Amino acid sequence: MFSKVHDVAKQLNQVIIGKPKQIQQALVCLLAGGHLLIEDVPGVGKTTLAHALSISLGLKFNRMQFTSDLLPTDVIGVSIFEREKSQFVFHPGPIFTQVLLADEINRATPKTQSALLEAMEEQQVSAEGQTRLLPSPFFVIATQNPTHQVGTFALPESQLDRFLMCVALGYPDAQAERALLMGEDRRTLLKQLSALMQPDELIEAQAAVRNIHASPALIDYLQKLSQATRESGLFAEGMSPRAAIALLQAARAWAALEGRDHVLPEDIQAVLIPVIAHRLRPIKAMHNKASASADLLTQLMLKVPV
């Protein structure tokens, strides 16, 4: 089943040129059953990657452009009175899908952002006194512009914690950018993509990831890392137990894609930054830059013995 995931990665690399590491991180996130936040400046391929992922995995896809005037009911849905039936009928919003692309999520107000919290955590939504289950599998792939740009609202900690991983694409190197300039338009390439997996195969792969073995010694290393973030004095709060569980699950998915049935410390190190950095907030004013958490986390990782 993981050979098909590798086929998906190959197809994605034909669309998103020069970003194999970020593509593997995105696939690891989905195999681990988490939600993905793609953070970067406009125009580097965030939306294209999200769309290509959903097509390649054969999942039903909805895209929402988040704006400052978007309301929670625009995401979840609303009941409308239908004269023929003489009653209110619930009309599901775009969240009732398998992959929801929340494009530029931080351009919506915190009230609208909060409409995703229950869905991302419990795979259900509550509206008008009734709870409705979402399809399975269910993923939110959100893109975010840098918070210093005009018209953005910073995601609160509770929202950031719902994303298993946060990745940044970055600018392409000269060779990759030349290939983009001389090649086909990315939107044209998206139309040529085919589904290489089916939803039931993805669910099966996720179940296999959960069975990847993690030894007691590996858990000891994970706990040392977690404790170090709490005692280092570098962050306002350290890793929560939920963050540690997320790190372990992502490491299992990384090990599976590397062809192993057990987790190594190298797997934890490979996913540490995208899983944990966006959850931690440096306490010193000098570390206010966006990459500060990642830099400090890398330094901390080098000090923790394996």
Side-chain angles (χ1 to χ4, degrees):
M1 70 184 71
F2 291 110
S3 64
K4 288 192 174 183
V5 180
H6 287 292
D7 291 339
V8 170
K10 291 178 182 178
Q11 179 165 271
L12 293 174
N13 277 297
Q14 295 173 1
V15 179
I16 310 296
I17 301 176
K19 302 296 178 182
K21 181 179 179 181
Q22 289 87 341
I23 287 173
Q24 181 165 342
Q25 290 172 339
L27 289 172
V28 162
C29 182
L30 300 188
L31 284 174
H35 306 288
L36 178 65
L37 179 62
I38 308 174
E39 182 178 28
D40 220 317
V41 297
V44 295
K46 303 187 300 296
T47 303
T48 303
L49 173 58
H51 202 169
L53 271 170
S54 64
I55 295 174
S56 301
L57 295 171
L59 300 174
K60 182 181 177 183
F61 173 82
N62 280 338
R63 176 186 181 277
M64 283 200 71
Q65 180 65 48
F66 276 56
T67 57
S68 59
D69 59 348
L70 196 72
L71 298 175
T73 52
D74 295 326
V75 180
I76 296 174
V78 64
S79 290
I80 299 175
F81 185 79
E82 295 189 1
R83 184 176 301 175
E84 297 80 4
K85 298 180 180 180
S86 298
Q87 63 182 13
F88 283 91
V89 176
F90 182 74
H91 291 252
I95 201 171
F96 287 86
T97 186
Q98 291 176 315
V99 176
L100 175 68
L101 170 57
D103 213 357
E104 297 186 308
I105 187 173
N106 61 332
R107 291 196 179 278
T109 62
K111 180 178 181 179
T112 300
Q113 292 176 15
S114 67
L116 295 171
L117 293 178
E118 181 184 8
M120 294 174 69
E121 182 68 20
E122 303 174 36
Q123 203 169 326
Q124 65 182 30
V125 295
S126 298
E128 300 169 353
Q130 186 174 351
T131 298
R132 296 174 173 85
L133 297 179
L134 295 171
S136 184
F138 172 72
F139 302 117
V140 173
I141 302 177
T143 68
Q144 175 174 248
N145 292 332
T147 54
H148 66 265
Q149 292 192 346
V150 175
T152 59
F153 299 86
L155 298 182
E157 286 81 356
S158 58
Q159 182 74 69
L160 287 171
D161 197 47
R162 297 298 197 276
F163 289 102
L164 176 66
M165 299 178 75
C166 177
V167 303
L169 292 182
Y171 292 113
D173 59 31
Q175 183 178 357
E177 188 168 25
R178 186 175 183 85
L180 288 170
L181 293 171
M182 300 186 66
E184 290 186 73
D185 186 89
R186 300 298 103 178
R187 288 170 292 185
T188 302
L189 289 180
L190 285 176
K191 297 177 182 178
Q192 301 172 6
L193 298 182
S194 58
L196 302 179
M197 293 185 71
Q198 297 301 316
D200 57 338
E201 292 176 318
L202 180 57
I203 292 173
E204 184 181 354
Q206 290 174 329
V209 164
R210 291 191 290 270
N211 291 325
I212 298 293
H213 178 66
S215 67
L218 189 283
I219 300 298
D220 289 342
Y221 175 61
L222 176 57
Q223 287 189 293
K224 290 177 184 177
L225 279 173
S226 179
Q227 197 64 28
T229 64
R230 301 166 186 169
E231 298 176 349
S232 65
L234 299 173
F235 305 105
E237 300 92 14
M239 284 170 54
S240 67
R242 178 162 60 182
I245 293 171
L247 181 58
L248 178 59
Q249 189 65 2
R252 284 191 167 111
W254 188 276
L257 285 185
E258 293 294 318
R260 292 191 301 274
D261 62 357
H262 59 282
V263 184
L264 297 178
E266 289 84 348
D267 300 318
I268 289 182
Q269 294 168 357
V271 298
L272 179 66
I273 301 302
V275 173
I276 301 301
H278 65 285
R279 305 169 191 263
L280 301 180
R281 181 166 53 87
I283 60 175
K284 293 184 179 180
M286 62 180 291
H287 296 304
N288 279 339
K289 61 178 183 177
S291 61
S293 291
D295 294 341
L296 294 175
L297 198 55
T298 301
Q299 296 172 22
L300 200 63
M301 179 181 68
L302 296 175
K303 297 178 181 178
V304 176
V306 176

